[in-house]
Each structure stands twice: as C-alpha cells, then as structure tokens.
Amino acid sequence: MQWAVATYDTAFGYVSAHGAPLLDLLDPQPDERIIDLGCGTGTMTVEIAARGAEVLGIDESVEMVNAARSEHPHLSFAVGDAHDFTISERYDAVFSNSALHWMSRAPSAVISSVHAALRPGGRFVAEMGGAGNCAELIAAVQTAWRVFGLPEPELPWYFPTPAEYAARLEEGGFVIRLMEYSDRPTRLAECPDGAADWVRLFAPELIAEVPPELAGPLLDRVNELAAPALRRESGWMADYVRLRFAAVRKPGGDELVQPPAPQAPPAPQPPPAPQPPPAPHGHPATQAPSAPHLSVSPEG
Ligand SMILES: C[S@@+](CC[C@H](N)C(=O)[O-])C[C@H]1O[C@@H](n2cnc3c(N)ncnc32)[C@H](O)[C@@H]1O
C-alpha cells in the first residue's frame, strides 16, 4: 500500500482525532514502555509519549516512518511488519489505532507478534475497522467495477466480527477485558469529491490496476452509486464501523510464539561465538530515533 503521506495528516487527521478515547482506554503510565503498532506519521505516538510513557512507533511504510521521524525527532520509530516483528525486550502495552485492518495477510500472526512483544499481564489496546465497515463505499466500488466489466477488485482490508477477533485473541493467549462494536458515521470533511476521494486515498492500488482512461469515469460512477447512502447536504459521510478492544496477555504462553525445537540427537557443538552487549534502552528523549532492539528492514 502506497500512502499519500503528504496529505495524510491534514486530509485524514480524523483517523487520529477519533483516537483520543482509545488513548484513555490505554491509560499510559509514566515510565511504561509502549509500542504504537501501525503508527503512521506518529500522531498517536506523540500523545502516548506526552503521558510520560516511553514509546516506540512501528510501521511497515518507510515513507510514514520517515515523516514520523521528521515530525517527532525526539521519539523512536522503526520500520517493521506487524506480522513478524520481533523485539528483544518485553513491553507493557501494545497500542494500535486504525491500523490492524490493514494487516490483513495473516491476522493471527499479528496477534502472535504482539503477544511475544508483551510481558505477561501486558495490555493490547486497539481500534480497527469491524465487520461491515465501509459497506456502502465498498458496495459502490464493487458495483462500479462490475458495470465497467472489470474483474472483482481485491480489497486490502480485514474487517472481523467481534466474535471472530475475540476468538483469535483468546487462541493467541489473551484475556479480553473489553470488546466494543459500533457504528461510527464519519464526516469525510476534506473529501470534496466524496467517495471517489476516499478510494483515491485509501485504496489507490485499486485504481492503479485500472486502465488510466477508465479511472475518472469509474470513480464518477462510484460517487453516483454511493451518494444516496452517504451524501448529506452538509457533505459526505463514511459508513465506518469500529471494533475497539482491550486485552491482556495471559501469564506464560510463550510456547504460543516459540514452539519447542524438534528433538534431535545431541551433536558436538563448537564453542559459542562472543555475543555483543545488549542494546541500550534509554528514555525516549535520549534514544536514537531508530530502535536498535527491533528486528526491522534495512531502512528502519
Ligand atoms: C490509517 S493508518 C493509521 C496510522 C496511525 N495509527 C494513526 O492513528 O494516525 C494505518 C497505518 O498502518 C500501517 N500498516 C499497514 N500494514 C502494516 C503492517 N503489516 N505492519 C505495520 N504497519 C502497517 C500503514 O503503513 C499506516 O501507516
């Protein structure tokens, strides 16, 4: 997914604006260590840090992480994929706002990585799109693609039901403390071209697969189809449905993420190689802006 990083903060600031109650649910404490997973440009990361916690923002997008670093040079950010990041130290909480539904390749792998990053009793607090999220917008896209004789678009999101995600969390070694599932119609305040702008910003890869001469008429049709449900006199609304949860890592359960190695007959071992000293872990104000203890891509 290629994000329009330059316009993300201004045009889609509402993504983060809705994160304030989630921050209260996280309730970061001074000196806690917290990961902001799918941190984007760091808008929520900086809020967590403002409550005194030491925070590490992780995002798979190099562009997002670069923007986060330049906006918040005193904080730590790293490029990493939520499906398989590994951290050498345990954190007190993992937070995620409006990002888990983008991590659609293997949702249980994301939960496993989060589990491994947390100390026993550590919190996983997040909000994501839930089942039915953007149903009208998506239906308009699918119908428009069909009308134009295009193949069914492959949608990049994972919008689970509360029951489905709760089952994944429990299987992944978490106890659920709160699970909320609610409609949250959201004004597309900065989308003068309504549903078409929403597609351009949140699903640009769908447009990239379309012959260029079709893109304009196709998006016009998306608008026509979505307008009866989503266009008000005051402007366009997105039919958001959110899943918000707080879960706690059960004590133990390391075997969930580190299965025992298969038994093999003992073989003579060479002497162990000298180990480098453990990575330093300072206060965010004194940390280098990358995270030495995170397994990340070279850009991170
Ligand atoms: C809608 S943005 C939300 C950003 C931020 N949490 C906020 O509240 O403003 C979703 C973010 O998830 C990131 N993301 C998507 N898939 C990811 C993955 N597999 N691993 C890490 N980050 C991912 C995207 O790069 C993007 O920055």
Side-chain angles (χ1 to χ4, degrees):
M1 164 79 183
Q2 192 65 39
W3 291 88
V5 176
T7 51
Y8 178 83
D9 281 341
T10 47
F12 289 85
Y14 65 81
V15 170
S16 312
H18 284 283
L22 189 63
L23 203 59
D24 290 338
L25 184 60
L26 173 68
D27 193 19
Q29 298 299 311
D31 301 328
E32 276 194 323
R33 293 193 315 182
I34 299 179
I35 291 172
D36 181 5
L37 194 59
C39 62
T41 55
T43 317
M44 300 302 295
T45 323
V46 75
E47 296 293 333
I48 296 169
R51 299 208 189 180
E54 180 182 324
V55 61
L56 168 65
I58 300 177
D59 201 287
E60 71 163 2
S61 159
V62 176
E63 292 78 13
M64 285 289 194
V65 167
N66 285 343
R69 283 179 179 151
S70 78
E71 282 177 42
H72 313 291
H74 58 299
L75 298 182
S76 294
F77 295 97
V79 176
D81 184 342
H83 292 88
D84 56 14
F85 73 96
T86 52
I87 288 265
S88 60
E89 297 168 70
R90 294 276 169 87
Y91 277 68
D92 298 298
V94 173
F95 171 90
S96 184
N97 181 49
S98 206
L100 293 177
H101 52 266
W102 290 99
M103 303 166 189
S104 53
R105 180 163 52 78
S108 290
V110 174
I111 291 172
S112 272
S113 299
V114 171
H115 185 276
L118 285 171
R119 64 167 172 78
R123 316 183 305 282
F124 183 18
V125 175
E127 183 170 311
M128 65 189 294
N133 189 48
C134 298
E136 295 285 356
L137 285 162
I138 290 171
V141 166
Q142 290 170 325
T143 305
W145 258 240
R146 216 172 299 131
V147 167
F148 277 73
L150 295 165
E152 180 89 359
E154 205 170 306
L155 302 173
W157 310 289
Y158 166 63
F159 297 137
T161 64
E164 180 186 341
Y165 208 77
R168 283 189 193 273
L169 284 169
E170 285 173 350
E171 278 159 22
F174 286 92
V175 176
I176 294 157
R177 295 286 187 224
L178 175 130
M179 176 74 69
E180 286 176 352
Y181 178 56
S182 57
D183 289 340
R184 198 184 67 203
T186 300
R187 218 162 104 68
L188 289 174
E190 306 292 335
C191 282
D193 201 16
D197 273 352
W198 181 85
V199 176
R200 285 187 191 100
L201 271 129
F202 282 113
E205 67 274 30
L206 299 186
I207 303 293
E209 289 163 9
V210 163
E213 68 280 8
L214 281 191
L218 189 63
L219 290 177
D220 287 346
R221 183 59 69 93
V222 170
N223 266 354
E224 284 165 27
L225 289 161
L230 301 178
R231 192 166 60 199
R232 312 268 192 279
E233 279 192 14
S234 55
W236 284 82
M237 300 290 287
D239 52 338
Y240 281 12
V241 176
R242 299 329 255 183
L243 199 56
R244 175 183 299 182
F245 65 84
V248 173
R249 188 195 141 144
K250 277 191 222 163
D254 277 345
E255 70 280 0
L256 287 166
V257 291
Q258 289 172 357
Q263 293 297 315
Q269 295 294 316
Q275 294 295 311
H281 197 103
H283 187 274
T286 58
Q287 278 182 330
S290 65
H293 51 285
L294 172 66
S295 158
V296 293
S297 67
E299 298 91 335

